Amino acid sequence: MKRTELREIVFKSLYQLENNKTDLTVEEAIQYLVEDFKGEQYLYVKNFVKEVIEKKDELDEIVSPHLKNWTLDRLLKTDRIILRMATYELKYTDTPEKVIFNEAVEIAKVYSDDDHYKFINGVLSSLSKS
C-alpha cells in the first residue's frame, strides 16, 4: 500500500473516531477500514492516528492563527482533520512539505466540499511561512 492510501486510512480513522458516540478504540477504527491489516503499514497508521489524537489541542493551537476570519469550530470536520494531519506531519515528521501539502489537498478534493482544497492549501501555506 502506498503512503497516499495509508494517509487516507488515517483520515478515515480519525473521522470515524471523531463521529463515533461509543468508545471505539484506534485499533477498532482501523480494523473497520481494512481487514487483515498488519505489519509496518498498520503500525504507521496506528501511530499516526494516536499521535494526532494525543496532540489535537497543540495542533489546533498551531493552526488557529492561520484561519483568517474562521475558527476551528466553524470548519467542516473533514477540513479540521485534514489540517490536523498535515500540521502533525509538518511539525513531527521529516516528510517533505510539498508532499504534505499535496496529500492534504488531494484528500480535501475527495472528502471535503468542492473548493475547500484551496482553503486547506492556503492555511498550510500560511502555516509553513511562520
Side-chain angles (χ1 to χ4, degrees), residues 12-125:
K12 288 178 179 179
S13 298
L14 287 166
Y15 188 84
Q16 186 173 8
L17 288 164
E18 189 162 318
N19 282 325
N20 197 302
K21 304 297 182 217
T22 62
D23 291 330
L24 189 68
T25 66
V26 170
E27 291 81 3
E28 290 169 332
I30 295 168
Q31 284 305 128
Y32 281 130
L33 296 168
V34 183
E35 297 283 329
D36 301 324
F37 189 47
K38 294 181 176 91
E40 191 175 311
Q41 294 175 333
Y42 174 80
L43 289 176
Y44 171 84
V45 170
K46 179 181 167 186
N47 290 334
F48 197 157
V49 171
K50 282 187 170 189
E51 287 288 311
V52 170
I53 290 169
E54 288 172 10
K55 295 177 180 355
K56 182 180 97 107
D57 292 339
E58 177 189 348
L59 299 172
D60 289 353
E61 204 172 290
I62 293 168
V63 169
S64 290
H66 303 279
L67 296 176
K68 297 184 177 93
N69 301 321
W70 285 87
T71 62
L72 279 167
D73 295 340
R74 289 184 57 210
L75 297 181
L76 294 174
K77 282 182 188 179
T78 53
D79 294 350
R80 211 172 25 243
I81 292 167
I82 292 166
L83 287 170
R84 284 177 186 149
M85 288 174 59
T87 303
Y88 171 79
E89 282 198 279
L90 285 168
K91 184 164 171 89
Y92 293 103
T93 72
D94 59 356
T95 306
E97 188 176 278
K98 185 175 182 177
V99 171
I100 296 168
F101 282 31
N102 186 55
E103 296 286 336
V105 165
E106 291 305 313
I107 290 172
K109 284 180 180 178
V110 175
Y111 294 101
S112 192
D113 284 353
D114 292 338
D115 288 336
H116 282 231
Y117 70 92
K118 294 175 186 176
F119 173 76
I120 298 290
N121 191 50
V123 172
L124 293 176
S125 293

